[in-house]
């Protein structure tokens, strides 16, 4: 049986002369000699002959002769699996160390899973050596030849964790999207069914009921509706629905056969096929570079119907095309997207054409400006074509379900078009690497890009950078009546990465001011205040009801909260016109996002998936995400566990060594410091990017009381007094202009004066450093891994317009290597 009884996969991967022979008969004869006899061998060879002729044309066209047999094996494998089911258990793995660890993983080549499960074999294939000046990259399930000798296309191995996290979060979003789609459609139909049944039973009584009785009846109806919906929801396998959404009739047929076998045909038809008619997600990789991330989305994320690979540089798209062919996706490539000879238009006659079906299923490669591409896709489905200019409508495309923005530097220029091109409820993933601006080194640049001021040398700059980015995103979305819901916001390595869902919510835009705030930072110590831009008693009361699960609101008119937006108050209005500890003035940062950074339910679901996959060869045993092993799964698990432990309602944090350094004392052990906060009745947590961070809802004076109590037991070291102190001026006294000098101003009081000022205050809080039993117990996770290599950081930007480096005789290195390989084999 072909491809079943081979001695080993690695033997067949070694190139020999008959693998690239001009005669397919020689190739098939060698295959039949290696294979054990079978009644279906003739049929399999006949089908392989057709594929051989077809793929030799593509191999010649794309100069991939040195991968000929590997290409043929992966491209024709599905044909043999229809006749030889045993071949489905064969898998390959090619490892390559680009970040100090193997980036290879093992998985089934056809990407399909029987009942949501997949076997992970350990066979490894040996590949031919890359040509001079090229590096073979194997990340996830994708292979790539990266040109090291030039700088035309950007690639950084540091971003492997970024891409693994993106693949993982997009897979989880596909499930949430399918679940939301099913709930929306099923709820509408179920409501009609229950209303019709209720009218038939109580038609006469409903006509006589009073207003209060009708209100009570509708409340009971809603409870019954939601209970029924939840029961039906538990019986639905959304992972299977996601997989079916992008695999067409073949998968639906298999699902129908399983339903027939289980005797649940009628029930399944009612609860799945009838209410979930979805063609899968359309994903835009707006700044694709080599297309590595795009191809991973296509291969590893279930439910993806179309991937648009866009880049402004033709050299990048050329390399992406080579990678498409190298990974056996040429049959999925859709030609003509983004060119003049073939475009995708929205009909100006029929609004029903505004859907995913207008984008052909497959991989779309296009050279173009990312902003322009997204502006062309800004038409929402709710806008009727007759409301648009015919010329504009002619070039308009449907919106995307997910957009990934991973630029070299700031994503600010792309955000306005991105929030318009995303569908209602779509996922927007944004990376910003301009930490010099977001971190406060260049505050003028940050304000010009994001409309917010950072703080220089602030201990919480990592979190403030995330909050400034989310603030800018929310403001841009609010211009178009849309709001954002942060799903996950993290700082990794030298950049920040956020995943947000964008919704049409004009009422929610009115509450944006409640999620925006300013930061008041003391100029002489680590004390800070975060104040909202506005307040609303009614909204705050409603949020408390949801958090406390209060079902009966207060009906007392005297204490009923008013739905009025009031301007926020600063520390001056709260009784602290200057720093309470040092008397210093405040510096102002922001505006920034002060709402939640993450959706904790989604974070917990992600952790559960990774832990379940760890015991099943890094693949989800239920058939969900992850469907393939993730190289950085351990690091991602530690990151998500750290995120899950954060206080979601407390913005910013203290850095414990910085707090203790202000008074020249030794750093308090983290467990003892947090135990003292807990014993005083306050909450505290860590922060996923800073190991020494303490997020707490305790006021600043409580934090300093704990430090003062520690200093009594551990006296700080004596520092040399300043000249001003020796002259008899009081510690922490004002400067020449009557104000406390900033840290970098001439004539300031020295650090010893600040320490004396802080320690001279009386302790008002009862401080207890006793560690309660069981306090500080954490889930086992790799929270703060070290860098695997030296110089693990940003790389030089791609040159963009440079052409591929040519040899002296005018031939490309890759072409020469391919030609040499073809002659040799």
């Amino acid at each position: 049986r072909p491809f079943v009884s081979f001695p080993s996969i690695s033997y067949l991967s070694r190139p020999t002369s008959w693998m690239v022979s001009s005669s397919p008969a020689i190739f098939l004869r060698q295959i039949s000699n290696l294979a054990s006899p079978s009644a279906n061998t003739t049929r399999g060879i006949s089908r392989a002959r057709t594929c051989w002729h077809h793929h030799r044309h593509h191999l010649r066209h794309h100069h991939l002769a040195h991968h000929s047999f590997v290409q043929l094996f992966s491209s024709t494998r599905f044909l043999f699996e229809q006749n030889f089911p045993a071949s489905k258990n064969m898998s390959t793995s090619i490892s390559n160390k680009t970040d100090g660890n193997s980036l290879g993983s093992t998985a089934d080549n056809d990407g399909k899973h029987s009942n949501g499960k997949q076997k992970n074999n350990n066979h490894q294939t040996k590949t031919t050596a890359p040509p001079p000046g090229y590096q073979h990259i194997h990340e996830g399930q994708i292979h790539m030849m990266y040109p090291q000798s030039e700088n035309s296309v950007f690639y950084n191995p540091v971003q492997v964790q970024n891409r693994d996290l993106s693949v993982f979060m997009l897979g989880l979003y596909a499930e949430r999207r399918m679940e939301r789609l099913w709930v929306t459609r099923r709820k509408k139909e179920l409501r009609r069914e229950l209303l019709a049944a209720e009218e038939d039973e109580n038609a006469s009584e409903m006509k006589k009921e009073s207003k209060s009785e009708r209100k009570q009846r509708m409340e009971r109806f809603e409870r019954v509706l939601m209970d029924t919906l939840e029961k039906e929801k538990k019986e639905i396998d959304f992972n299977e629905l996601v997989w079916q959404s992008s695999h067409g009739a073949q998968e639906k047929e298999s699902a129908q056969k399983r339903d027939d076998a289980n005797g649940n045909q009628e029930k399944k038809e009612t609860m799945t096929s009838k209410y979930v008619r979805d063609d899968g997600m359309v994903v835009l990789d707006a700044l694709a570079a080599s297309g590595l991330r795009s191809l991973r989305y296509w291969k590893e994320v279930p439910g993806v119907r179309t991937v648009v690979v866009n880049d402004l540089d033709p050299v990048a798209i050329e390399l992406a095309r080579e990678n498409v062919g190298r990974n056996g996706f040429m049959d999925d490539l859709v030609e003509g997207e983004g060119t003049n000879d073939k475009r995708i238009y929205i009909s100006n006659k029929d609004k029903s054409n505004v859907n995913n079906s207008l984008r052909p299923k497959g991989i779309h490669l296009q050279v173009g400006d990312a902003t322009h591409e997204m502006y062309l896709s800004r038409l929402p489905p709710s806008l009727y074509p007759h409301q648009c200019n015919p010329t504009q409508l002619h070039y308009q495309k449907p919106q995307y379900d997910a957009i990934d923005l991973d630029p070299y530097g700031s994503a600010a220029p792309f955000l306005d078009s991105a929030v318009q091109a995303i569908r209602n409820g779509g996922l927007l993933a944004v990376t910003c690497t301009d930490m010099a601006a977001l971190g406060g080194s260049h505050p003028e640049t940050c304000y010009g890009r994001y409309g917010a001021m950072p703080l220089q040398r602030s201990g919480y700059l990592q979190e403030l950078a995330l909050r400034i980015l989310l603030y800018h995103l929310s403001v841009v979305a609010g211009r178009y009546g849309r709001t954002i819901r942060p799903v996950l916001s993290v700082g990794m390595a030298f950049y920040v990465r956020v995943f947000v869902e964008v919704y049409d919510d004009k009422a929610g835009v009115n509450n944006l001011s409640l999620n925006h705030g300013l930061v008041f930072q003391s100029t002489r110590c680590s004390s800070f205040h975060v104040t909202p831009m506005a307040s609303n008693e009614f909204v705050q009361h409603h949020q408390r009801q949801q958090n406390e699960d209060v079902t009966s609101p207060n009906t007392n008119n005297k204490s009923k909260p008013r739905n009025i937006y009031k301007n926020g108050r600063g520390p001056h209005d709260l009784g602290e016109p200057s720093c309470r500890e040092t008397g210093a003035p405040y510096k102002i940062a922001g505006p920034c996002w002060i709402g939640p950074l993450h959706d904790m339910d989604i974070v917990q679901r992600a952790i559960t998936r990774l832990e379940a996959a760890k015991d099943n060869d890094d693949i989800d045993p239920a058939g969900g995400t992850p469907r393939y092993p993730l190289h950085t799964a351990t690091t991602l698990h530690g990151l998500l566990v750290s995120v899950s432990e954060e206080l979601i309602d407390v913005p910013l944090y203290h850095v414990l060594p910085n707090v203790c350094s202000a008074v020249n004392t030794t750093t308090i052990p983290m467990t003892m410091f947090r135990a003292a906060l807990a014993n005083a009745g306050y909450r505290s947590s860590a922060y996923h990017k800073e190991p020494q961070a303490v997020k707490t809802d305790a006021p600043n004076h409580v934090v300093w009381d704990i430090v003062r109590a520690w200093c009594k037991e551990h006296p700080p070291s004596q520092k040399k007094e300043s000249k001003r102190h020796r002259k008899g001026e009081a510690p922490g006294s004002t400067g020449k202009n009557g104000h406390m000098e900033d840290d970098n101003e001439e004539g300031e009081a020295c650090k010893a004066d600040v320490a004396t000022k802080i320690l001279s205050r009386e302790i008002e809080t009862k401080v207890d450093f006793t560690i309660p039993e069981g306090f500080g117990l954490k889930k086992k996770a790799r929270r703060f891994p070290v860098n695997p290599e030296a110089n693990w950081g940003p790389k030089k930007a791609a040159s963009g317009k440079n052409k591929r480096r040519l040899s002296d005789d005018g031939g490309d290195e890759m072409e020469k290597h391919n030609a040499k390989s073809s002659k040799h084999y």
Side-chain angles (χ1 to χ4, degrees):
R1 295 178 296 174
F3 298 117
V4 177
S5 300
F6 287 152
S8 68
I9 300 298
S10 60
Y11 170 80
L12 291 176
S13 66
R14 291 194 292 269
T16 56
S17 59
W18 52 268
M19 291 182 184
V20 290
S21 170
S22 59
S23 172
I26 298 177
F27 168 79
L28 297 172
R29 186 161 58 250
Q30 294 291 344
I31 287 291
S32 60
N33 291 338
L34 288 172
S36 58
S38 172
N40 292 328
T41 300
T42 303
R43 181 183 177 188
I45 290 178
S46 175
R47 305 182 91 173
R49 180 181 289 109
T50 303
C51 290
W52 172 254
H53 284 292
H54 174 70
H55 285 282
R56 275 190 61 81
H57 169 72
H58 287 292
L59 293 172
R60 269 194 226 99
H61 179 69
H62 294 284
H63 308 287
L64 298 175
H66 64 295
H67 286 294
S68 57
F69 183 73
V70 177
Q71 286 279 35
L72 175 67
F73 181 81
S74 61
S75 301
T76 62
R77 181 181 178 86
F78 71 97
L79 294 176
F80 288 98
E81 287 179 353
Q82 296 179 10
N83 300 313
F84 312 108
S87 65
K88 288 186 178 181
N89 293 328
M90 303 177 65
S91 62
T92 61
S93 175
I94 304 174
S95 62
N96 179 29
K97 296 184 178 181
T98 61
D99 61 347
N101 297 293
S102 173
L103 296 185
S105 57
T106 57
D108 197 1
N109 282 341
D110 61 358
K112 298 179 181 179
H113 306 270
S114 176
N115 296 327
K117 298 183 179 180
Q118 182 185 36
K119 298 297 181 182
N120 185 13
N121 299 335
N122 295 321
H123 301 297
Q124 291 187 346
T125 45
K126 298 180 181 179
T127 59
T128 59
Y134 284 81
Q135 178 187 2
H136 175 248
I137 305 295
H138 182 192
E139 185 179 310
Q141 302 300 306
I142 301 302
H143 300 265
M144 180 179 75
M145 287 293 181
Y146 176 66
Q148 288 182 312
S149 57
E150 60 187 63
N151 194 33
S152 59
V153 181
F154 182 80
Y155 173 78
N156 191 348
V158 182
Q159 301 282 43
V160 173
Q161 183 182 0
N162 186 323
R163 287 184 284 270
D164 278 355
L165 179 62
S166 301
V167 168
F168 185 45
M169 296 305 296
L170 184 59
L172 293 177
Y173 168 74
E175 298 172 9
R176 297 197 308 275
R177 173 180 173 273
M178 181 59 66
E179 182 177 341
R180 183 169 61 241
L181 181 62
W182 181 89
V183 168
T184 301
R185 297 183 180 180
R186 178 55 182 158
K187 185 177 181 180
K188 184 181 298 184
E189 181 65 23
L190 189 60
R191 183 186 300 275
R192 286 198 293 263
E193 294 175 1
L194 293 178
L195 282 176
E198 188 175 18
E199 289 177 357
D200 293 340
E201 294 178 1
N202 305 319
S204 58
E205 298 178 0
M206 291 172 59
K207 295 180 180 179
K208 301 178 181 179
E209 65 184 2
S210 62
K211 186 176 181 180
S212 60
E213 291 175 343
R214 182 182 180 185
K215 183 178 180 180
Q216 295 176 359
R217 178 176 60 82
M218 293 306 298
E219 290 177 353
R220 290 194 304 269
F221 175 82
E222 290 296 329
R223 287 196 296 268
V224 172
L225 174 65
M226 297 308 299
D227 292 342
T228 306
L229 192 65
E230 287 297 324
K231 291 180 181 178
E232 293 186 0
K233 185 178 173 181
K234 293 179 180 179
E235 301 178 7
I236 302 299
D237 184 1
F238 290 104
N239 295 328
E240 182 68 18
L241 293 182
V242 170
W243 189 250
Q244 291 178 19
S245 66
S246 60
H247 283 73
Q250 182 178 359
E251 289 295 333
K252 292 180 181 179
E253 262 183 47
S254 61
Q256 186 67 30
K257 291 180 181 178
R258 288 194 297 271
D259 295 342
D260 294 341
N262 297 332
N264 297 329
Q265 179 179 0
E266 182 178 355
K267 184 176 183 179
K268 292 288 184 178
E269 176 65 19
T270 301
M271 297 170 61
T272 58
S273 303
K274 185 176 180 180
Y275 300 107
V276 182
R277 294 177 181 174
D278 182 63
D279 295 329
M281 296 189 300
V282 179
V283 182
L284 170 65
D285 190 359
L287 308 160
S290 63
L292 179 59
R293 185 189 303 264
S294 308
L295 297 184
R296 289 195 63 183
Y297 285 161
W298 177 253
K299 176 67 176 179
E300 302 178 36
V301 178
V304 173
R305 182 180 185 276
T306 303
V307 173
V308 178
V309 186
N310 180 85
D311 200 278
L312 186 62
D313 187 8
V315 177
I317 296 301
E318 176 189 350
L319 182 58
R321 183 180 295 275
E322 292 178 3
N323 293 331
V324 168
R326 185 169 291 109
N327 289 276
F329 299 149
M330 291 304 297
D331 289 342
D332 300 321
L333 185 63
V334 179
E335 299 289 350
E337 171 67 9
T339 60
N340 293 328
D341 58 332
K342 182 178 179 181
R343 294 189 62 88
I344 300 175
Y345 306 123
I346 293 181
S347 171
N348 57 356
K349 297 181 180 179
D350 186 7
K351 176 191 171 184
S352 63
N353 285 339
V354 186
N355 53 43
N356 285 344
S357 62
L358 291 177
R359 295 186 187 270
K361 178 180 179 180
I363 303 173
H364 300 244
L365 299 178
Q366 61 184 38
V367 178
D369 175 55
T371 304
H372 181 67
E373 168 63 27
M374 289 185 286
Y375 276 132
L376 288 178
S377 304
R378 66 177 297 273
L379 177 65
S382 59
L383 187 64
Y384 286 89
H386 70 267
Q387 297 174 296
C388 299
N389 184 291
T391 304
Q392 296 173 340
L393 187 64
H394 183 64
Y395 291 96
Q396 195 65 44
K397 304 178 185 180
Q399 293 175 309
Y400 293 96
D401 296 289
I403 296 178
D404 194 306
L405 298 175
D406 189 10
Y408 188 95
S410 174
F414 309 99
L415 297 182
D416 183 81
S417 56
V419 296
Q420 298 182 72
I422 200 77
R423 283 181 179 270
N424 181 31
L427 182 69
L428 180 60
V430 181
T431 298
C432 286
T433 62
D434 57 334
M435 290 302 295
L438 288 170
S441 298
H442 300 284
E444 71 286 353
T445 304
C446 181
Y447 190 82
R449 291 176 181 173
Y450 303 99
M453 287 292 291
L455 281 176
Q456 293 178 323
R457 299 184 299 276
S458 62
Y460 45 75
L461 66 89
Q462 294 287 343
E463 182 176 350
L464 184 59
L466 279 172
R467 294 188 177 277
I468 288 176
L469 175 58
L470 289 175
Y471 160 78
H472 183 63
L473 259 173
S474 63
V475 170
V476 173
R479 297 170 186 163
Y480 307 102
R482 316 192 89 177
T483 58
I484 64 169
R485 182 171 71 94
V487 175
L488 180 67
S489 308
V490 293
M492 299 190 299
F494 54 88
Y495 58 89
V496 292
R497 178 75 163 169
V498 298
F499 298 87
V500 300
E501 292 180 357
V502 182
Y503 292 92
D504 295 330
D505 185 10
K506 293 184 179 181
V509 175
N510 297 333
N511 295 331
L512 272 183
S513 57
L514 306 180
N515 286 323
H516 293 168
L518 295 173
V519 181
F520 293 84
Q521 171 66 56
S522 172
T523 58
R524 301 302 303 280
C525 68
S526 59
S527 299
F528 65 88
H529 298 272
V530 179
T531 61
M533 299 295 293
S535 61
N536 186 303
E537 296 178 356
F538 179 81
V539 176
Q540 293 173 351
H541 177 72
H542 181 67
Q543 291 176 348
R544 283 196 299 269
Q545 282 186 336
Q546 290 181 334
N547 296 334
E548 299 172 3
D549 195 19
V550 178
T551 57
S552 57
N554 189 0
T555 57
N556 189 353
N557 292 331
K558 294 183 179 180
S559 60
K560 187 176 181 180
R562 296 180 299 173
N563 189 14
I564 299 176
Y565 292 85
K566 298 180 180 180
N567 292 70
R569 301 290 188 267
H572 304 74
D573 301 317
L574 301 178
E576 289 192 27
S578 59
C579 177
R580 180 176 178 179
E581 307 300 325
T582 63
Y586 292 111
K587 295 185 291 187
I588 301 178
C592 65
W593 176 268
I594 62 174
L597 292 178
H598 327 283
D599 187 318
M600 286 304 182
D601 293 336
I602 298 176
V603 172
Q604 289 294 343
R605 181 185 299 185
I607 295 173
T608 303
R609 290 292 181 86
L610 289 176
E611 292 175 349
K614 184 178 180 181
D615 301 328
N616 190 56
D617 296 332
D618 293 330
I619 299 172
D620 182 51
T625 299
R627 286 180 177 264
Y628 295 94
L630 299 173
H631 168 64
T632 60
T634 302
T635 306
L636 292 180
H637 176 261
L639 174 67
L640 294 173
V641 168
S642 299
V643 166
S644 68
E645 296 169 348
E646 295 178 6
L647 293 177
I648 196 66
D649 57 340
V650 177
L652 306 185
Y653 54 83
H654 298 275
V655 179
L656 189 55
N658 294 353
V659 175
C660 296
S661 175
V663 295
N664 306 321
T665 187
T666 57
T667 302
I668 307 174
M670 180 65 71
T671 304
M672 295 183 65
F673 185 83
R674 292 184 57 185
L677 288 170
N679 293 333
Y682 298 99
R683 300 174 297 150
S684 66
S685 72
Y687 182 69
H688 67 270
K689 187 65 170 63
E690 175 55 57
Q692 298 296 330
V694 179
K695 294 173 72 72
T696 178
D697 57 352
N700 292 314
H701 71 87
V702 174
V703 173
W704 289 114
D705 281 347
I706 296 174
V707 175
R708 283 187 278 263
W710 174 264
C711 288
K712 285 189 175 182
E713 300 178 7
H714 304 80
S717 60
Q718 297 297 324
K719 295 293 184 179
K720 186 177 180 180
E721 294 180 336
S722 67
K723 293 181 179 179
R724 295 180 63 208
H725 195 188
R726 287 198 298 269
K727 290 179 180 179
E729 297 181 19
S733 60
T734 58
K736 297 179 181 179
N737 58 358
H739 297 284
M740 185 69 68
E741 315 290 354
D742 204 350
D743 292 340
N744 59 349
E745 293 184 5
E746 188 176 355
E748 64 177 350
C750 73
K751 187 177 181 180
D753 299 335
V754 176
T756 304
K757 178 72 173 178
I758 294 175
L759 296 178
S760 64
R761 296 184 62 87
E762 294 293 330
I763 299 177
E764 303 175 2
T765 307
K766 183 179 179 181
V767 180
D768 182 8
F769 289 105
T770 304
I771 301 176
E773 183 178 357
F775 181 81
L777 295 179
K778 297 181 179 180
K779 180 181 292 187
K780 186 177 180 181
R782 187 182 178 186
R783 288 172 173 79
F784 302 101
V786 297
N787 295 337
E789 287 182 357
N791 303 319
W792 191 255
K795 302 296 183 183
K796 185 179 179 182
S799 57
K801 296 182 180 180
N802 288 352
K803 299 299 181 183
R804 304 287 288 271
R805 185 173 64 88
L806 302 179
S807 59
D808 295 338
D809 58 355
D812 186 89
E813 291 290 343
M814 179 67 79
E815 295 182 7
K816 290 180 63 180
H817 177 76
N818 293 342
K820 182 179 179 181
S821 301
S822 300
K823 293 178 181 178
H824 177 71
Y825 296 135

